[in-house]
Amino acid sequence: MTTTPPALTPDHALARLPELTVVDVRTPGEYASGHIPGAHNVPLDALRRALPALRAAHGELVLVCASGARAENALTVLAEHGIPAATITGGTRGWAERGHALHRPQGTSRTTWAMERQVRLTAGALVLAGLGLGQLHPAWLLLSAGVAGGLVFSALTDTCGMAAVLSKLPHNRPRATDLDATLAALGSARD
């Protein structure tokens, strides 16, 4: 087996796709809205549960998310457990920008927003609510200040508590049977 560099360009990943095991660490809703063909969905918050299956996966392991940040976090977790992996630069967004096809499963009646978009909507709505309610009582302005502080902290630490909370919403959660099937498929996939 050849050594995988820490990051593959979308073009390089496309050329090697048959020999790679691609794991998409986005939420199930984001994954359903379009993913790299053949990618397995293991949400970032389920990654530790998936470690045995990822260790047993055949082919070189490549992690992907929307833009690359969550894949980098997943890469760190896997490295801590001695599981070699790479990422795709630019994530699925970079993949699509290069003109490569995304698989969109049949039967997905609505498209779930990307987590970044969900965070922007929630943060903006909370700030506006705090400002509006601040007209009734000044203490409500603390809501806006808290969200602003959270966004600054998020940028400085490259983490996002709001995304962690939003990932718990039903449309962002995998059904247990879906995750179990993905983990079984990772262990049985052959080159």
Side-chain angles (χ1 to χ4, degrees):
M1 185 183 297
T2 61
T3 303
T4 304
L8 300 172
T9 66
D11 293 336
H12 191 209
L14 177 65
R16 298 187 55 215
L17 202 54
E19 65 191 63
L20 302 175
T21 298
V22 180
V23 176
D24 192 320
V25 297
R26 297 177 298 159
T27 67
E30 292 174 289
Y31 173 82
S33 70
H35 57 270
I36 293 173
H40 301 275
N41 185 218
V42 178
L44 185 58
D45 63 352
L47 196 65
R48 291 188 190 283
R49 177 178 168 209
L51 289 173
L54 294 171
R55 185 172 278 115
H58 299 278
E60 296 177 45
L61 198 57
V62 177
L63 306 169
V64 68
C65 64
S67 64
R70 285 177 279 179
E72 287 293 331
N73 290 339
L75 190 67
T76 300
V77 171
L78 294 184
E80 290 170 357
H81 290 87
I83 302 173
T87 60
I88 297 177
T89 54
T92 53
R93 193 173 304 136
W95 178 274
E97 287 171 357
R98 295 290 301 153
H100 305 317
L102 291 175
H103 176 69
R104 290 182 173 83
Q106 296 293 330
T108 51
S109 59
R110 63 183 172 89
T111 301
T112 301
W113 289 357
M115 186 56 67
E116 179 185 338
R117 188 175 179 191
Q118 292 179 49
V119 168
R120 288 192 317 252
L121 173 71
T122 304
L126 288 172
V127 167
L128 287 175
L131 292 173
L133 292 170
Q135 301 300 310
L136 300 175
H137 192 281
W140 281 105
L141 294 174
L142 292 175
L143 177 62
S144 297
V147 172
L151 290 172
V152 169
F153 179 78
S154 175
L156 293 174
T157 62
D158 198 23
T159 61
C160 187
M162 189 176 292
V165 171
L166 292 173
S167 71
K168 305 296 183 205
L169 293 174
H171 65 276
N172 286 327
R173 300 290 313 144
R175 293 189 310 254
T177 55
D178 292 344
L179 184 57
D180 291 340
T182 298
L183 297 180
L186 279 168
S188 66
R190 301 267 185 246
D191 283 345

